[in-house]
Amino acid sequence: MRLHRLDITAFGPFGGSQTVDFDELSSAGLFLLHGPTGAGKTSVLDAVCYALYGSVPGVRQSGQGLTLRSDHAAAGTRTEVRLELTVAERRLELTRQPPWARPKKRGTGSTLDKAQSWLREYDATAGAWKDLSRSHQEIGEEITQLLGMSREQFCQVVLLPQGEFARFLRSDAEARGKLLGRLFDTHRFAEVEKRLADRRRATEAQVREGDAQLLADAHRMQQAAGDAMELPDLAPGEPGLADAVLGAAAVARSTAREQLTVAQGGLAGSESAQAAADRELADVRELARLQQRFAQARERATLMEERADGYRQAQARMERARKAEAVAPALELREAADTEHRDAARAETRARGLLPDTFAGAGAAGLAAAVRRAAEELGGLESARRAEQRLTELRVERAELDRQERADEDVRQEAEAWLAEWDTTRAGLQARIESAQEATTRAEQLGVRREPAERRLGAARQRDQFAGDTEDTRRQVLASAERAVEARAHWLDLKEQRLNGIAAELAAHLTDGAPCAVCGATEHPAPARKSAGHVDRAAEEQALTAHQRAEEQRTEAERRLGVVREALAAATAEAGDAPTGQLADEVAELERLYEQARRDASWLHPATEELRRAEQEHERRTAIQQQAAVRAASRTTLRDTLDRERTSLEGELAQSRGTADSVAARAAQLERQAALLTDAADAVRTAEDTAQRLKDADARLADAAFRAGFDTPQAAAVALLDDTAHRELQRRLDAWQSEEAAVRAVLAEADTAAAAQQAPVDLDLAERVATAAVQRTRNAASARDAAARRCTELDRLSARSAAGARQLAPLREEYDRVARLAALTAGTSADNERRMRLESYVLAARLEQVAAAASVRLQRMSSGRYTLVHSDDRAGRGRSGLGLHVVDAWTGRERDTATLSGGETFFASLALALGLADVVTDEAGGVRLDTLFIDEGFGSLDEQTLDEVLDVLDSLRERDRSVGIVSHVADLRRRIHAQLEVVKGRDGSAVRQRGQ
């Protein structure tokens, strides 16, 4: 990595834009960055770091130290850092702008702009820059990948802070571990330790969970086996638990199988006893059934003897019913004929009751002749019916003509009334349109005058406001000028007092044996003393700060006064000398007139539309009046025609309808009379026919009753049974016969008769004996089933426990292996003799590399006297691994780095920093670091040692590196010709660059 150019704007102490040409400074190989305290030397390095990583080192980060934006910058100037560099053979340009609160473009106050970043790469082929990214995250990832270092590593490797490495030399192992951990990014090894510990805990939990499952299965086996199993007295996680559980399970299974064999023998004996009891019970039940069967048969035979008379009567009744069945058809025929005759007689009576008295004695032939006469008269009325229908239509048409005549008369009168007012209406609407058009022209003229008047009123109000602000701002300017003069005078007084006592201030920092910063002497026989009222550097800087703040306030007040005066002049030019109240009255009057004109003009469109609608209505009503006159003339001719036709039809109809109200009424009378006569004739003929059929049926019935053996037809009707009664009687006869046959069959059975001769049996006793045998068998089966289930459950649980133990074995082996590794990496294992953690072990290897690389330069700086070595000895009872000692070649002894003097500590820390830079660079993938910076510490070296240190730094040019030294030492300005000086002033700091 080589830096080429750095552009800084409004950053840190730099109020304006500054440029640093690193190519010119690097050409000498070694250059000096110097300037007074507080000028901004470190800010140059901060700008480099900010351009690369978007943040500055350590406590100088925004929010914890100084802000990035310069307090000296103008309000409209944005903070920006641009760095041009070459890394990995790629020429890049980085530009970063932090967030800033800029003044609003309109109004007062400020608005926050977000941070912005640009990354560009120079294309040598095209000879131009091309954009790569504007994303903060993408740029950060790209730079970190190219450099191979984080911001912390970059600040330690490229911006070498000597103070931190001096503390590194004197610190303990824990502090060294924190610094080395940040530089070499060894948190992954600490993560390995953490993951191993987490994995140990996880596998331990899994082993405990597996053992807990084994113990749970053991408890279940104990419950299944009863007292035949004892649980092992071991907790989950303890060795041997699985073997103990499996052994106890084997004993329980063997005991359960013995119990099953015993239960099976008891069940076989119980089943044999139950079979004998069942056979005995079956014999007793059969004998009891036969005895009961014989007794029931004897009881049924006795009951049938008692009911024999009823059976014989039923047989006689059935015989008479069979004879009456021969007369049944004649009875049915006579009953049907009688019913038909009665219905026909009633119908005849009803039909004759509807006829006039003139037809009371007429027969069927007379009634038929009357029907024919009515039909002939009805046929002659058809033409009269059509004439009557036409007369009705004529009356409807005549009424419609009258209605149309009345409607046209109403329309004509309404149209005449409206048209009489037409001229007045049209003149009024035209007057309204002309008035609205004049108001529109007036509103346009007032609108043109209204806007300039409002601008003059606004300018007059601003003029009055700026006039008051000008006076207030002028008084503030005078007050701030007085404060600035007083603050400057106070600062100059304090500065003069401090310069008078500067010798005492320098003498306060003298140390025996240390060179004087003024003369370089190591002895100080008579140092100056501070007098009463001595002014120190802090008091002077405080007064200077107060003076600068007062000057800034005065400048700001003068600037505000100029802005207010310019605004006042612009407002006065716009408003003129007219008072604000007068302008306000003029604007109000114009606004009133303008609104009135707009309201009047708004009637133009409605009035125009209303005139258009009125003209359309005039045309419509004129047309309606003309059409009504035409229709009236045509209706007069049609009315005369209809009246003549109506008179002719009325004469014809008077002859046809007779005494009826209408032809239709006369036709209805004739149709109803013909229908009644027809019905009466039919009813008379039907009654005559049914009377003859009834007489024939009576003769056939008397003959059938005599042949069947009955004296009268009524006796045959009484003997006849209906279907329900016949079926019921037949069922009783069949049931008697079936019962008689069944009783005889039972009494004839030999087994039943033999059983009846024996003594009665005790069935309850036999059933109790059989029930007891069944219960004993059930108990034996339950005992056998319980023993079988116990064996099955123990086999199942034992198999599951054995499978769980097999599955747990690899997990337990993994737990043992992980536990050993976790203890070893954590430094708690007995195998780790030095109790060194894994991260400390890796850092110790890195520290050993750093010490070796640093010793090469330390030997040259110390003329071959000192060498840095790594030590992994334990400190007391603590852990070892990050010790650092120095070997003194003059004494041949190894001692702690804390025993080095101030100058020795400086070049030892410098050598350590350079060695660390080499190691970190190699670890970062071999990225070349062609530009380095070394911050302070050279004032503690004597002249010879300074020459040796500069020779070592100058030798870095052999690797094509350039080294920038940040120092106050005046002797370095004479030794190093390429310089970058930072000069501070009231308006901010600036850089001055000198070449070779």
Side-chain angles (χ1 to χ4, degrees), residues 664-680:
R666 177 59 180 165
Q669 290 177 356
L670 292 175
E671 289 175 354
R672 184 165 59 255
Q673 181 179 358
L676 292 176
L677 291 172
T678 301
D679 293 340

Side-chain angles (χ1 to χ4, degrees), residues 715-745:
V718 171
L720 187 64
L721 294 175
D722 57 12
D723 292 341
T724 302
H726 185 275
R727 285 195 300 272
E728 177 60 23
L729 183 59
Q730 186 64 46
R731 183 191 65 77
R732 288 169 54 193
L733 294 174
D734 293 342
W736 176 276
Q737 295 172 2
S738 299
E739 179 68 10
E740 183 181 17
V743 169
R744 289 175 181 175

Side-chain angles (χ1 to χ4, degrees), residues 544-590:
L544 176 60
T545 302
H547 163 58
Q548 293 174 344
R549 189 181 304 110
E551 286 292 335
E552 292 173 356
Q553 293 175 355
R554 180 184 62 80
T555 303
E556 179 62 21
E558 291 176 350
R559 185 189 64 78
R560 288 200 301 270
L561 178 59
V563 171
V564 172
R565 285 177 174 173
E566 291 177 359
L568 176 60
T572 302
E574 177 71 19
D577 298 332
T580 303
Q582 177 183 348
L583 294 176
D585 294 340
E586 294 177 357
V587 169
E589 180 62 19
L590 282 175

Side-chain angles (χ1 to χ4, degrees), residues 954-974:
D954 193 57
S955 66
L956 295 176
R957 290 187 297 177
E958 298 173 359
R959 300 176 64 178
D960 196 20
R961 283 182 174 175
S962 60
V963 180
I965 299 176
V966 183
S967 178
H968 296 87
V969 178
D971 191 35
L972 291 177
R973 302 177 197 172
R974 291 183 282 101

Side-chain angles (χ1 to χ4, degrees), residues 519-537:
C519 63
T522 57
E523 296 181 358
H524 320 293
R529 304 296 179 183
K530 293 182 179 180
S531 61
H534 174 74
V535 177
D536 57 6
R537 180 176 182 179

Side-chain angles (χ1 to χ4, degrees), residues 58 98 160 198 201 214 243 287 291 366 396 409 418 420 471 492 508 667 680 775 894 912 919 971 985:
L160 302 178
D198 294 342
R201 288 190 292 269
L214 286 177
D243 295 337
L287 181 58
Q291 289 177 349
V396 172
E409 182 62 21
W418 191 91
E471 184 61 25
L492 292 177
Q775 185 62 40
E894 181 178 323
L912 185 66
V919 173
D971 191 35

Side-chain angles (χ1 to χ4, degrees), residues 289-342:
R289 185 186 68 81
L290 293 175
Q291 289 177 349
Q292 184 179 8
R293 179 180 175 83
F294 185 82
Q296 291 175 349
R298 294 293 301 170
E299 292 177 358
R300 290 159 60 190
T302 302
L303 183 61
M304 290 182 67
E305 290 177 0
E306 296 175 353
R307 298 177 178 177
D309 293 340
Y311 172 68
R312 286 190 290 273
Q313 292 176 1
Q315 284 182 326
R317 181 73 178 87
M318 179 61 72
E319 183 63 24
R320 288 195 304 272
R322 290 195 185 96
K323 292 179 179 179
E325 289 178 356
V327 187
L331 286 172
E332 293 176 356
L333 180 61
R334 198 273 172 190
E335 184 177 0
D338 183 59
T339 301
E340 184 179 8
H341 177 65
R342 286 197 297 271

